[in-house]
Coordinates of all heavy atoms in Angstrom, one line a residue:
M1 N 117.5 115.5 51.0 CA 117.9 116.9 50.8 C 116.6 117.7 50.3 O 115.9 117.2 49.5 CB 118.9 116.9 49.8 CG 119.6 118.3 49.6 SD 121.0 118.2 48.3 CE 119.9 118.5 46.9
G2 N 116.3 118.9 50.8 CA 115.3 119.7 50.5 C 115.4 120.3 49.1 O 116.5 120.5 48.6
I3 N 114.3 120.7 48.5 CA 114.2 121.3 47.2 C 113.8 122.7 47.3 O 112.8 122.8 48.1 CB 113.4 120.6 46.2 CG1 113.8 119.1 46.0 CG2 113.4 121.2 44.8 CD1 112.9 118.2 45.3
K4 N 114.4 123.6 46.7 CA 113.9 125.0 46.8 C 113.3 125.4 45.5 O 114.0 125.4 44.5 CB 115.1 126.0 47.1 CG 115.6 125.8 48.5 CD 116.6 126.9 48.8 CE 117.1 126.7 50.3 NZ 118.5 126.9 50.5
I5 N 112.0 125.9 45.5 CA 111.3 126.2 44.4 C 110.9 127.6 44.5 O 110.3 128.1 45.5 CB 110.2 125.3 44.2 CG1 110.6 123.8 44.0 CG2 109.4 125.7 42.8 CD1 109.4 122.9 43.9
K6 N 111.2 128.4 43.4 CA 110.6 129.7 43.4 C 109.6 129.8 42.3 O 110.0 129.4 41.1 CB 111.9 130.8 43.2 CG 112.8 130.8 44.3 CD 113.9 131.9 44.1 CE 114.8 131.9 45.3 NZ 115.8 132.8 45.2
I7 N 108.5 130.3 42.6 CA 107.5 130.4 41.6 C 107.2 131.9 41.3 O 106.9 132.6 42.4 CB 106.2 129.6 42.0 CG1 106.5 128.1 42.1 CG2 105.0 129.8 41.0 CD1 105.3 127.3 42.6
C8 N 107.3 132.3 40.1 CA 107.1 133.7 39.8 C 105.7 134.1 39.8 O 104.8 133.4 39.3 CB 107.7 134.1 38.5 SG 107.5 135.7 38.1
I9 N 105.3 135.2 40.6 CA 103.8 135.6 40.6 C 103.9 137.0 40.0 O 102.9 137.8 40.3 CB 103.3 135.6 42.0 CG1 104.2 136.4 43.0 CG2 103.1 134.2 42.4 CD1 103.5 136.6 44.3
G10 N 104.9 137.4 39.3 CA 104.8 138.7 38.6 C 103.7 138.7 37.6 O 103.2 137.6 37.2
T11 N 103.3 139.9 37.1 CA 102.0 140.0 36.3 C 101.9 139.0 35.2 O 101.0 138.3 35.1 CB 101.8 141.4 35.8 OG1 101.8 142.3 37.0 CG2 100.5 141.6 35.0
P12 N 103.0 138.9 34.2 CA 102.9 138.0 33.1 C 102.7 136.6 33.6 O 101.9 135.8 33.1 CB 104.2 138.2 32.4 CG 104.8 139.5 32.8 CD 104.3 139.7 34.3
C13 N 103.5 136.2 34.7 CA 103.3 134.8 35.1 C 102.0 134.6 35.8 O 101.4 133.5 35.6 CB 104.6 134.5 36.1 SG 106.2 134.5 35.1
H14 N 101.5 135.5 36.5 CA 100.2 135.4 37.3 C 99.1 135.2 36.1 O 98.3 134.3 36.3 CB 99.9 136.7 38.0 CG 98.6 136.7 38.6 ND1 98.2 135.9 39.7 CD2 97.5 137.4 38.2 CE1 97.0 136.1 39.9 NE2 96.5 137.0 39.1
L15 N 99.2 136.0 35.1 CA 98.1 135.9 34.0 C 98.3 134.6 33.3 O 97.3 134.1 32.8 CB 98.4 137.1 33.0 CG 98.0 138.4 33.5 CD1 98.4 139.5 32.5 CD2 96.6 138.5 33.9
M16 N 99.5 134.0 33.3 CA 99.6 132.7 32.6 C 99.4 131.5 33.5 O 99.8 130.3 33.2 CB 101.0 132.6 31.9 CG 101.1 133.5 30.8 SD 99.8 133.4 29.4 CE 100.3 131.9 28.7
G17 N 99.1 131.7 34.8 CA 98.6 130.6 35.7 C 99.6 130.2 36.7 O 99.6 129.1 37.1
S18 N 100.4 131.0 37.2 CA 101.4 130.7 38.2 C 100.7 130.2 39.5 O 101.2 129.4 40.2 CB 102.3 131.9 38.5 OG 101.6 133.0 39.0
Q19 N 99.4 130.7 39.8 CA 98.7 130.2 40.9 C 98.4 128.7 40.8 O 98.5 127.9 41.8 CB 97.3 130.9 41.0 CG 96.6 130.6 42.3 CD 97.3 131.0 43.5 OE1 98.1 131.9 43.6 NE2 97.1 130.1 44.6
N20 N 98.3 128.1 39.6 CA 98.0 126.7 39.4 C 99.4 126.0 39.7 O 99.3 124.7 40.3 CB 97.7 126.4 37.9 CG 96.4 127.0 37.5 OD1 95.5 127.2 38.4 ND2 96.3 127.3 36.3
L21 N 100.5 126.6 39.5 CA 101.7 125.9 39.8 C 101.9 125.8 41.3 O 102.3 124.8 41.9 CB 102.9 126.7 39.3 CG 103.0 126.8 37.7 CD1 104.0 127.8 37.4 CD2 103.2 125.5 37.2
I22 N 101.5 126.9 42.0 CA 101.7 127.0 43.5 C 100.7 125.9 44.0 O 101.1 125.1 45.0 CB 101.3 128.4 44.0 CG1 102.3 129.3 43.6 CG2 101.2 128.4 45.6 CD1 102.0 130.8 44.0
E23 N 99.5 125.9 43.6 CA 98.5 124.8 44.1 C 99.1 123.4 43.8 O 98.9 122.6 44.6 CB 97.2 125.1 43.6 CG 96.5 126.3 44.2 CD 95.3 126.7 43.4 OE1 94.8 126.0 42.5 OE2 94.9 127.9 43.7
A24 N 99.7 123.2 42.7 CA 100.1 121.8 42.3 C 101.2 121.4 43.3 O 101.2 120.3 43.8 CB 100.5 121.7 40.9
V25 N 102.1 122.4 43.6 CA 103.2 122.0 44.5 C 102.6 121.7 45.9 O 103.0 120.8 46.7 CB 104.2 123.0 44.5 CG1 105.3 122.7 45.6 CG2 104.9 123.2 43.1
Q26 N 101.6 122.5 46.3 CA 101.2 122.5 47.8 C 100.4 121.0 47.9 O 100.7 120.3 48.8 CB 100.1 123.6 48.0 CG 100.9 124.8 48.3 CD 99.9 126.0 48.4 OE1 98.8 126.0 47.9 NE2 100.5 127.1 49.0
E27 N 99.7 120.7 46.7 CA 98.9 119.4 46.7 C 100.0 118.2 46.8 O 99.8 117.3 47.6 CB 98.2 119.3 45.4 CG 96.9 119.9 45.4 CD 95.9 119.2 46.6 OE1 95.8 118.0 46.5 OE2 95.5 120.0 47.4
F28 N 101.0 118.4 46.1 CA 102.0 117.3 46.0 C 102.7 117.2 47.3 O 103.0 116.1 47.9 CB 103.0 117.6 44.9 CG 104.2 116.6 44.7 CD1 103.8 115.4 44.2 CD2 105.4 116.8 45.1 CE1 104.8 114.4 43.9 CE2 106.5 115.8 45.0 CZ 106.0 114.7 44.4
N29 N 103.1 118.4 48.0 CA 103.6 118.3 49.2 C 102.8 117.7 50.3 O 103.4 116.9 51.1 CB 103.9 119.8 49.5 CG 105.2 120.2 49.9 OD1 106.1 119.3 50.0 ND2 105.5 121.4 50.0
K30 N 101.5 117.9 50.3 CA 100.7 117.4 51.2 C 100.6 115.8 51.1 O 100.6 115.0 52.0 CB 99.2 117.8 50.9 CG 98.7 118.9 52.0 CD 97.4 119.1 51.9 CE 97.1 120.5 51.4 NZ 95.7 120.7 51.0
K31 N 100.6 115.4 49.8 CA 100.3 114.0 49.4 C 101.5 113.2 50.0 O 101.4 112.0 50.5 CB 100.3 113.8 47.9 CG 98.9 113.1 47.5 CD 99.0 112.8 46.0 CE 98.1 113.8 45.3 NZ 98.3 113.5 43.8
I32 N 102.8 113.6 49.6 CA 104.0 112.7 49.9 C 104.8 113.5 51.1 O 105.9 112.9 51.3 CB 104.7 112.4 48.7 CG1 105.4 113.7 48.2 CG2 104.0 111.7 47.7 CD1 106.7 113.2 47.3
E33 N 104.3 114.5 51.7 CA 105.1 115.1 52.7 C 106.6 115.2 52.5 O 107.5 114.6 53.1 CB 104.9 114.3 54.1 CG 103.5 114.4 54.6 CD 103.4 113.5 55.8 OE1 104.3 113.3 56.5 OE2 102.2 113.2 56.0
T34 N 106.9 116.0 51.4 CA 108.3 116.3 51.1 C 108.8 117.5 51.8 O 108.1 118.1 52.4 CB 108.3 116.5 49.6 OG1 107.5 117.5 49.2 CG2 108.0 115.3 48.7
D35 N 110.1 117.7 51.6 CA 110.7 118.8 52.2 C 111.0 119.8 51.1 O 112.1 120.1 50.7 CB 112.1 118.3 52.8 CG 112.8 119.4 53.5 OD1 112.2 120.4 53.8 OD2 114.0 119.2 53.8
I36 N 109.9 120.4 50.6 CA 110.0 121.3 49.5 C 109.7 122.8 50.0 O 108.7 123.0 50.7 CB 109.0 121.0 48.3 CG1 109.1 119.6 47.9 CG2 109.1 122.0 47.3 CD1 108.2 119.2 46.9
E37 N 110.6 123.6 49.7 CA 110.6 124.9 50.1 C 110.0 125.9 49.0 O 110.7 125.8 48.0 CB 111.9 125.5 50.4 CG 112.0 126.4 51.7 CD 113.4 126.7 51.9 OE1 114.1 125.9 52.6 OE2 113.8 127.8 51.3
V38 N 108.8 126.4 49.1 CA 108.3 127.1 47.9 C 108.3 128.6 48.3 O 107.8 129.0 49.4 CB 106.9 126.7 47.7 CG1 106.3 127.4 46.3 CG2 106.8 125.2 47.5
E39 N 108.8 129.4 47.4 CA 108.8 130.9 47.5 C 108.1 131.5 46.4 O 108.4 131.2 45.3 CB 110.2 131.3 47.8 CG 110.4 132.7 48.2 CD 111.9 133.1 48.2 OE1 112.8 132.2 48.1 OE2 112.1 134.3 48.1
A40 N 107.3 132.5 46.7 CA 106.7 133.3 45.6 C 107.7 134.5 45.3 O 108.0 135.2 46.3 CB 105.4 133.8 45.9
V41 N 108.1 134.6 44.1 CA 109.0 135.7 43.8 C 108.3 136.6 42.6 O 107.4 136.2 42.1 CB 110.4 135.2 43.2 CG1 111.0 134.5 44.4 CG2 110.3 134.4 42.0
N42 N 108.9 137.9 42.4 CA 108.2 138.7 41.5 C 108.8 138.6 40.0 O 108.0 139.2 39.1 CB 108.3 140.2 42.1 CG 107.3 140.4 43.1 OD1 106.1 140.0 42.8 ND2 107.7 141.0 44.2
C43 N 109.9 138.2 39.9 CA 110.4 138.0 38.4 C 111.6 137.2 38.4 O 112.4 137.3 39.2 CB 110.6 139.3 37.7 SG 110.8 139.2 36.0
L44 N 111.6 136.3 37.4 CA 112.8 135.4 37.2 C 113.5 135.8 35.8 O 114.2 134.9 35.3 CB 112.3 134.0 37.3 CG 111.9 133.4 38.6 CD1 111.3 132.0 38.6 CD2 113.0 133.4 39.6
D45 N 113.2 136.8 35.2 CA 113.7 137.2 34.0 C 113.4 136.3 32.8 O 114.1 136.2 31.9 CB 115.2 137.4 34.1 CG 115.6 138.6 34.9 OD1 114.8 139.7 34.8 OD2 116.7 138.6 35.6
K46 N 112.3 135.7 32.9 CA 111.8 134.8 31.8 C 110.3 135.2 31.4 O 109.5 134.3 31.2 CB 111.9 133.4 32.2 CG 113.3 132.9 32.4 CD 113.9 132.5 31.1 CE 115.2 132.0 31.2 NZ 116.1 132.0 30.1
C47 N 110.0 136.5 31.6 CA 108.6 136.9 31.3 C 108.0 136.4 30.1 O 106.8 136.1 30.0 CB 108.5 138.5 31.5 SG 109.4 139.1 32.8
K48 N 108.8 136.3 28.9 CA 108.3 136.0 27.7 C 107.9 134.5 27.7 O 107.2 134.0 26.8 CB 109.3 136.2 26.6 CG 109.4 137.7 26.2 CD 110.3 137.9 25.0 CE 110.3 139.4 24.8 NZ 111.3 139.8 23.9
G49 N 108.3 133.7 28.6 CA 108.1 132.3 28.6 C 107.2 132.0 29.9 O 107.1 130.8 30.3
A50 N 106.5 132.9 30.3 CA 105.6 132.8 31.6 C 104.7 131.7 31.6 O 104.2 131.4 30.3 CB 104.9 134.2 31.8
P51 N 104.4 131.0 32.6 CA 104.9 131.2 33.9 C 106.2 130.5 34.2 O 106.6 129.5 33.7 CB 103.8 130.6 34.8 CG 103.3 129.5 34.0 CD 103.4 129.9 32.5
A52 N 107.1 131.2 34.9 CA 108.4 130.8 35.2 C 108.6 130.2 36.7 O 108.0 130.7 37.5 CB 109.4 131.9 34.9
V53 N 109.5 129.3 36.7 CA 109.7 128.6 38.0 C 111.2 128.4 38.0 O 111.9 128.0 37.1 CB 109.0 127.2 38.0 CG1 109.6 126.3 39.1 CG2 107.5 127.4 38.1
K54 N 111.8 128.5 39.3 CA 113.2 128.1 39.4 C 113.2 127.0 40.5 O 112.8 127.0 41.6 CB 113.9 129.4 40.0 CG 115.5 129.3 39.9 CD 116.0 130.6 40.3 CE 117.5 130.7 40.2 NZ 118.1 131.9 40.5
I55 N 114.0 125.9 40.0 CA 114.2 124.9 41.0 C 115.6 124.8 41.1 O 116.5 124.5 40.2 CB 113.7 123.5 40.4 CG1 112.2 123.5 40.1 CG2 114.0 122.3 41.3 CD1 111.6 122.3 39.5
D56 N 116.1 125.0 42.4 CA 117.5 125.2 42.8 C 118.0 126.2 41.9 O 117.5 127.3 42.0 CB 118.3 123.8 42.8 CG 117.7 122.8 43.9 OD1 117.3 123.4 44.9 OD2 117.7 121.8 43.7
D57 N 119.0 126.0 41.0 CA 119.5 127.1 40.3 C 119.0 127.2 38.8 O 119.5 127.9 37.9 CB 121.1 127.0 40.2 CG 121.7 127.5 41.6 OD1 121.0 128.4 42.2 OD2 122.6 126.9 42.0
E58 N 118.0 126.3 38.5 CA 117.5 126.2 37.0 C 116.3 126.8 36.9 O 115.4 126.5 37.6 CB 117.5 124.6 36.7 CG 117.3 124.4 35.3 CD 118.7 124.0 34.6 OE1 119.6 123.5 35.4 OE2 118.8 124.2 33.4
V59 N 116.2 127.7 35.8 CA 114.8 128.3 35.6 C 114.0 127.5 34.5 O 114.7 127.1 33.4 CB 115.0 129.8 35.2 CG1 113.6 130.4 34.7 CG2 115.6 130.6 36.3
Y60 N 112.8 127.3 34.6 CA 112.1 126.6 33.6 C 110.9 127.5 33.3 O 110.2 128.0 34.1 CB 111.4 125.3 34.2 CG 112.5 124.3 34.7 CD1 113.0 124.3 35.9 CD2 113.0 123.3 33.8 CE1 113.9 123.4 36.4 CE2 113.9 122.5 34.2 CZ 114.4 122.5 35.5 OH 115.5 121.5 35.9
A61 N 110.8 127.8 31.9 CA 109.7 128.6 31.5 C 109.4 128.3 30.0 O 110.2 128.2 29.3 CB 110.2 130.1 31.6
P62 N 108.1 128.0 29.6 CA 107.0 128.0 30.6 C 106.9 126.7 31.3 O 107.3 125.7 30.8 CB 105.8 128.1 29.6 CG 106.3 127.5 28.4 CD 107.8 127.8 28.3
A63 N 106.4 126.8 32.6 CA 106.3 125.7 33.4 C 104.8 125.4 33.5 O 104.0 126.2 33.8 CB 106.8 126.0 34.8
R64 N 104.5 124.1 33.3 CA 103.1 123.6 33.5 C 103.1 122.7 34.8 O 104.0 122.1 35.1 CB 102.7 122.7 32.3 CG 102.8 123.5 30.9 CD 101.7 124.5 30.7 NE 102.0 125.4 29.6 CZ 102.0 126.7 29.8 NH1 101.7 127.3 30.9 NH2 102.3 127.5 28.7
P65 N 101.8 122.7 35.3 CA 101.8 122.0 36.7 C 102.3 120.6 36.6 O 103.1 120.2 37.4 CB 100.3 122.1 37.0 CG 99.8 123.4 36.5 CD 100.6 123.5 35.1
K66 N 101.9 119.9 35.6 CA 102.4 118.5 35.5 C 103.8 118.4 35.3 O 104.5 117.6 36.0 CB 101.6 117.9 34.4 CG 101.8 116.3 34.4 CD 101.3 115.6 33.1 CE 101.8 114.1 33.0 NZ 103.2 114.0 33.1
D67 N 104.4 119.3 34.4 CA 105.9 119.2 34.3 C 106.6 119.6 35.5 O 107.7 119.0 35.8 CB 106.2 120.2 33.1 CG 105.6 119.9 31.7 OD1 105.2 118.6 31.6 OD2 105.3 120.8 30.9
L68 N 106.0 120.5 36.2 CA 106.8 120.8 37.5 C 106.7 119.8 38.4 O 107.8 119.5 39.0 CB 106.0 122.1 38.1 CG 106.5 122.6 39.4 CD1 107.8 123.0 39.3 CD2 105.7 123.9 39.9
I69 N 105.7 119.0 38.5 CA 105.5 117.9 39.5 C 106.5 116.7 39.0 O 107.2 116.2 39.8 CB 104.1 117.3 39.7 CG1 103.2 118.4 40.2 CG2 104.2 116.0 40.5 CD1 103.7 119.1 41.5
D70 N 106.6 116.7 37.6 CA 107.6 115.6 37.2 C 109.1 116.0 37.5 O 109.8 115.2 37.8 CB 107.4 115.5 35.7 CG 106.1 114.7 35.3 OD1 105.5 114.1 36.2 OD2 105.7 114.7 34.0
L71 N 109.3 117.3 37.3 CA 110.6 117.8 37.6 C 111.0 117.5 39.1 O 112.1 117.1 39.5 CB 110.8 119.3 37.3 CG 110.9 119.6 35.8 CD1 110.7 121.1 35.7 CD2 112.3 119.2 35.3
I72 N 110.0 117.8 39.9 CA 110.2 117.6 41.4 C 110.5 116.0 41.7 O 111.3 115.8 42.4 CB 109.0 118.1 42.3 CG1 109.0 119.7 42.1 CG2 109.1 117.8 43.7 CD1 107.6 120.2 42.6
K73 N 109.6 115.3 41.1 CA 109.8 113.9 41.3 C 111.2 113.4 40.9 O 111.8 112.6 41.6 CB 108.7 113.1 40.5 CG 107.4 113.1 41.1 CD 106.5 112.3 40.3 CE 105.0 112.4 40.8 NZ 104.0 111.9 39.8
E74 N 111.6 114.0 39.8 CA 113.1 113.6 39.3 C 114.1 114.0 40.3 O 114.9 113.3 40.6 CB 113.3 114.4 37.9 CG 113.7 113.5 36.8 CD 113.5 114.3 35.6 OE1 114.6 115.2 35.4 OE2 112.7 114.2 34.8
Q75 N 113.9 115.2 40.9 CA 114.9 115.7 41.9 C 114.9 114.9 43.2 O 115.9 114.7 43.9 CB 114.5 117.2 42.3 CG 114.5 118.1 41.1 CD 115.8 118.8 41.0 OE1 116.6 119.1 42.0 NE2 116.3 119.1 39.8
L76 N 113.7 114.2 43.5 CA 113.6 113.6 44.7 C 114.1 112.1 44.6 O 114.3 111.5 45.6 CB 112.1 113.4 45.0 CG 111.4 114.7 45.5 CD1 109.9 114.5 45.8 CD2 112.1 115.2 46.9
R77 N 114.4 111.8 43.4 CA 115.0 110.3 43.2 C 116.4 110.2 43.7 O 117.2 111.1 43.7 CB 115.0 110.0 41.6 CG 113.7 109.4 41.3 CD 113.8 108.8 39.9 NE 112.5 108.9 39.4 CZ 112.2 109.3 38.1 NH1 113.2 109.6 37.2 NH2 111.1 109.4 37.6
Ligands
FES101 S1 107.2 138.2 35.7 FE1 107.5 136.1 35.9 S2 109.5 135.8 34.9 FE2 109.2 138.0 34.9

């Protein structure tokens, strides 16, 4: 089953490193060839906890690259 990830690239999230999250997922995707759908979005209503990420229906904020990859690994189990 594929995983849908939305990574916020709105200004607060961008300033707090959302690009690092995008790169981490892309790297991970390349390494294990998963079926992860990544979409950049403009706001997930968690600006105070930037950077924000939504995996399926759950929003995580702040999201750090390592935590994001751990969450993805958990979902893939
Ligand atoms: S700008 Fe990223 S959650 Fe609002």
Side-chain angles (χ1 to χ4, degrees):
M1 193 180 82
I3 302 173
K4 287 186 181 142
I5 301 177
K6 292 183 178 181
I7 298 179
C8 180
I9 54 165
T11 303
C13 291
H14 173 72
L15 292 174
M16 293 305 286
S18 56
Q19 187 58 37
N20 296 334
L21 297 172
I22 293 171
E23 284 166 14
V25 176
Q26 285 171 341
E27 275 298 304
F28 183 73
N29 237 347
K30 252 191 252 166
K31 241 190 253 172
I32 66 158
E33 291 180 24
T34 55
D35 185 16
I36 302 175
E37 220 177 274
V38 186
E39 188 187 342
V41 297
N42 278 314
C43 192
L44 291 169
D45 289 327
K46 293 281 183 194
C47 311
K48 285 187 180 164
V53 162
K54 190 174 188 178
I55 301 178
D56 293 327
D57 286 328
E58 193 101 23
V59 177
Y60 300 90
R64 301 286 167 236
K66 188 190 172 303
D67 300 336
L68 176 57
I69 299 306
D70 287 346
L71 286 167
I72 293 170
K73 284 179 183 168
E74 238 170 67
Q75 301 266 323
L76 289 172
R77 271 192 210 137

